[in-house]
């Protein structure tokens, strides 16, 4: 199956700074790359996604970049706010099912 | 986005009993649903893929006779944890697969927290 690696596992930033989380994957046939935000005890919430025919996508303070050649994609959060604190998971899909990264616990320090 | 419900939200049971968890897509039809398990401070691990009208596909290491999956309609999949033991205590989350114009997206249920005593 797909092998998804996510770094870093924990990340602390000052409010207003940017945060970057990176994921690498192994299956070159993968074509859909979502990012999920999960607050404690709650379901993962899709925050942004990108498909293989696009290199970058932005939605307000959140952006995702994809490098298919290198098989990695990154989540960028700018102007971080305390409410951005959560665990973020990247995921990769090829044949319909999702394979998740190990998660990054982001803490935004006020 | 699409809405997926899950019931119950949490359950406590005695060791040896069976627990049934329902996953419903409320405003769309989902031919494929997925079941995940998440242990504390860990990532989501795919357990099985549930296909409407056919047998589920289980991931390696997941016992199909212990985790029974039924996908009887386009809006409902059930996961039954048979003869539950304390090590089965976990957060179980389903997701439903929805086809969209530019591809497909998965929407997650709110999860079921299972505690086996």
């Amino acid at each position: 199956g797909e092998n998804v690696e996510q770094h870093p596992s924990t990340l602390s930033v000052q409010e207003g700074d940017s945060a970057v989380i990176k994921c690498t994957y192994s299956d070159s046939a993968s074509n859909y790359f979502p990012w999920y935000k999960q607050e404690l005890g709650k379901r993962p919430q899709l925050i942004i996604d990108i498909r293989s025919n696009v290199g970058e996508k932005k939605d307000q303070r959140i952006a995702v970049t994809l490098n298919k050649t290198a098989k990695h994609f990154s989540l960028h959060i700018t102007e971080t706010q305390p409410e951005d604190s959560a665990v973020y998971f990247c995921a990769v899909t090829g044949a319909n099912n999702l394979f998740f990264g190990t998660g990054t616990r982001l803490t935004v320090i006020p | 986005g699409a809405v997926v419900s899950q019931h119950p939200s949490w359950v406590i049971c005695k060791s040896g009993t069976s627990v049934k968890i329902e996953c419903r897509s409320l405003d769309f039809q989902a031919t494929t649903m997925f079941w995940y398990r998440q242990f504390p401070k860990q990532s989501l691990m795919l357990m099985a893929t549930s296909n409407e009208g056919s047998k589920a596909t289980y991931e390696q290491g997941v016992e199909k006779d212990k985790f029974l999956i039924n996908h009887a309609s386009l809006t409902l999949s059930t996961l039954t944890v048979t003869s539950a033991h304390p090590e089965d205590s976990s957060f179980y989350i389903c997701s439903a697969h929805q086809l969209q114009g530019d591809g497909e997206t998965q929407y997650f249920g709110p999860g079921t927290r299972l505690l086996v005593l």
Side-chain angles (χ1 to χ4, degrees), chain B residues 4-109:
Chain B
V4 176
S5 72
Q6 204 170 323
H7 179 80
S9 56
W10 60 274
V11 58
I12 301 174
C13 68
K14 292 182 179 180
S15 185
T17 60
S18 293
V19 176
K20 186 176 182 179
I21 304 170
E22 293 186 349
C23 178
R24 295 181 185 271
S25 56
L26 298 185
D27 52 0
F28 67 101
Q29 293 182 331
T31 55
T32 305
M33 291 184 174
F34 304 91
W35 287 96
Y36 296 86
R37 180 167 52 183
Q38 185 178 34
F39 292 107
K41 298 186 179 181
Q42 293 188 24
S43 189
L44 290 85
M45 298 300 297
L46 179 66
M47 299 176 65
T49 302
S50 172
N51 299 297
E52 187 268 337
S54 65
K55 291 183 179 180
T57 304
Y58 290 82
E59 295 300 303
Q60 191 173 6
V62 178
E63 300 175 55
K64 61 180 181 180
D65 294 330
K66 180 169 182 62
F67 299 99
L68 301 179
I69 292 173
N70 183 276
H71 195 153
S73 76
L74 288 171
T75 59
L76 173 64
S77 175
T78 61
L79 168 68
T80 301
V81 183
T82 62
S83 186
H85 289 95
E87 57 265 30
D88 298 323
S89 298
S90 186
F91 191 46
Y92 292 86
I93 308 177
C94 71
S95 71
H97 179 243
Q98 183 188 39
L99 289 175
Q100 296 177 319
D102 59 345
E104 63 284 329
T105 302
Q106 286 196 29
Y107 295 94
F108 285 87

Side-chain angles (χ1 to χ4, degrees), chain A residues 11-22:
Chain A
L11 179 61
S12 293
V13 299
Q14 290 292 136
E15 182 178 357
D17 288 350
S18 296
V20 181
I21 304 170
K22 182 177 178 178

Side-chain angles (χ1 to χ4, degrees), chain A residues 55-67:
Chain A
E56 184 175 355
K57 184 177 178 180
K58 188 174 182 180
D59 182 4
Q60 299 182 339
R61 296 187 297 109
I62 296 173
V64 56
T65 58
L66 171 65
N67 184 326

